Amino acid sequence: MVQGGNKVEIKVGLALGSGAARGWSHIGIINGLSELGIEPDIVSGSSIGALVGAAYAADKLELLQNWTCSLSWKEIIRFLDPSLLGGGLIQGDRLTDFISWYVKDLDFEGLRRQLGVVATDLETGREIWFRQGPVMEAVRASISLPGLFTPLQHQGRWLVDGGLANPVPVSLCRAMGADIVIAVNLNGDILGKHLRNGTGSRHKADDDAGGELENDLWGRITGQLMSGLSARKQELKTRLLGESRSVPGLYEVLASSINIMQDRITRSRMAGDPPEVILTPRLSKLGLMEFDEAEMAIEEGSREVKRMRPALDRLFDR
């Protein structure tokens, strides 16, 4: 990118943070930046940020946006392959096949933009940077949310979600040569919101359903997982969702714990290596698994760019 009229080449980095379904807002942010004439040269991503970043680097962002906006919870469930014995509730093979369709068999070296992906070594806790090799393998490792998706074995190591070690990978952008970094933090306004709101879903319980799971996406997914288990079905359901709205279930505890952890890590890492601009979409009402609410997330991403335009204009001397 050329800055002002001085023809000084500067490399702009975009660090896309983790946050499950809230990550669809990355699409709106990238579109909003493009409208301002800001086209990042370098993209780093953690978890859902890795998926959106890979689509962007492969020039498949519009295709991904069209697909996300057409998603229904039934379509999401078709991507889930239950696995109660593999280190996570979902094996992830169907999701891997889907990611492969989007990025084909691309390697990092064949992408239009520089891409870096973060995963976490389950044994050592160290962050692992992917900058070469198959893009699909890196993304699958980075989205392996503990307890939900099974870990990925790579070169003798078990890898899990990149957000455990580096939720907003500013450091990776800098290591790849970015002169300035725009960071997207998806966890800035969610700490504690998940528990205070009961299930964390924007949907209300369907009181007319009479004993059915709550009318949120995770409830539907859990119902699908439990539908094939005749023995101890009710006990398993109670453990996952909790005895009532006032008692957190397994998923609620897991999601809230990850929120707390990622918020603390993000604050610490950004204090030591601050980006030039931080974009923080206001997504506290969106649950971690509400992937069928892409339009809302994308719109909020666009709004955040507009809110932060003065800072972006100052950054690029406009």
Side-chain angles (χ1 to χ4, degrees):
M1 183 172 183
V2 178
Q3 185 177 29
N6 298 324
K7 296 184 178 180
V8 177
E9 292 282 344
I10 61 171
K11 287 190 175 182
V12 179
L14 180 63
L16 302 177
S18 59
R22 294 187 289 269
W24 294 148
S25 64
H26 289 319
I27 298 174
I29 283 172
I30 292 171
N31 290 338
L33 291 175
S34 180
E35 291 175 3
L36 297 180
I38 301 172
E39 299 284 348
D41 308 286
I42 296 169
V43 182
S44 65
S46 187
S47 195
I48 188 67
L51 174 57
V52 176
Y56 180 49
D59 282 334
K60 300 290 185 181
L61 190 67
E62 183 177 359
L63 188 64
L64 179 63
Q65 179 175 347
N66 292 338
W67 175 77
T68 60
C69 290
S70 68
L71 272 178
S72 67
W73 67 268
K74 289 182 180 179
E75 289 173 304
I76 295 171
I77 286 175
R78 285 204 295 268
F79 287 101
L80 307 182
D81 38 2
S83 171
L84 297 180
L85 300 176
L89 291 175
I90 298 167
Q91 186 67 32
D93 291 341
R94 296 176 190 170
L95 185 62
T96 300
D97 292 341
F98 166 74
I99 297 171
S100 299
W101 187 84
Y102 268 88
V103 300
K104 306 300 181 183
D105 296 320
L106 287 176
D107 288 341
F108 282 78
E109 295 80 1
L111 297 174
R112 181 168 168 265
R113 291 178 174 82
Q114 290 187 66
L115 174 69
V117 170
V118 179
T120 303
D121 188 318
L122 186 60
E123 181 177 0
T124 66
R126 295 178 57 191
E127 60 183 285
I128 305 298
W129 289 357
F130 286 88
R131 296 176 58 185
Q132 59 186 8
V135 174
M136 180 277 296
E137 189 173 37
V139 173
R140 173 61 180 86
S142 188
I143 64 173
S144 298
L145 187 67
L148 185 60
F149 287 103
T150 56
L152 178 77
Q153 191 171 33
H154 175 75
Q155 296 182 353
R157 296 178 292 195
W158 288 102
L159 303 182
V160 292
D161 196 294
L164 296 182
N166 197 350
V168 186
V170 174
S171 56
L172 178 52
C173 261
R174 300 225 188 264
M176 293 169 64
D179 298 301
I180 61 175
V181 177
I182 301 170
V184 185
N185 178 17
L186 302 178
N187 303 308
D189 70 336
I190 61 170
L191 189 58
K193 299 286 183 68
H194 189 83
L195 279 175
R196 287 198 296 269
N197 290 338
T199 64
S201 170
R202 299 180 310 103
H203 300 288
K204 295 180 180 179
D206 184 0
D207 295 331
D208 298 329
E212 292 183 359
L213 294 176
E214 289 186 27
N215 186 27
D216 65 279
L217 181 59
W218 178 252
R220 299 178 193 129
I221 291 172
T222 307
Q224 185 77 5
L225 293 173
M226 296 299 105
S227 62
L229 301 173
S230 56
R232 304 179 67 186
K233 177 179 176 181
Q234 185 59 43
E235 180 181 347
L236 287 170
K237 185 172 70 176
T238 299
R239 287 181 180 273
L240 284 171
L241 297 181
E243 297 177 359
S244 66
R245 292 183 65 86
S246 61
V247 180
L250 182 151
Y251 170 71
E252 191 171 352
V253 171
L254 176 64
S256 295
S257 299
I258 291 174
N259 286 346
I260 293 169
M261 177 198 66
Q262 291 190 348
D263 177 74
R264 294 292 184 256
I265 294 173
T266 299
R267 289 169 187 257
S268 175
R269 297 201 63 144
M270 283 193 178
D273 188 9
E276 277 65 32
V277 173
I278 302 175
L279 303 179
T280 308
R282 299 168 186 175
L283 297 164
S284 61
K285 293 183 179 179
L286 188 64
L288 279 179
M289 293 299 295
E290 291 187 296
F291 289 99
D292 56 338
E293 298 291 345
E295 288 188 5
M296 184 191 77
I298 292 171
E299 289 174 4
E300 172 54 28
S302 298
R303 284 194 293 268
E304 175 62 12
V305 173
K306 292 176 182 177
R307 283 192 292 265
M308 294 297 293
R309 180 168 182 173
L312 292 166
D313 286 342
R314 288 194 298 271
L315 180 62
F316 293 101
D317 293 330
R318 295 188 301 190

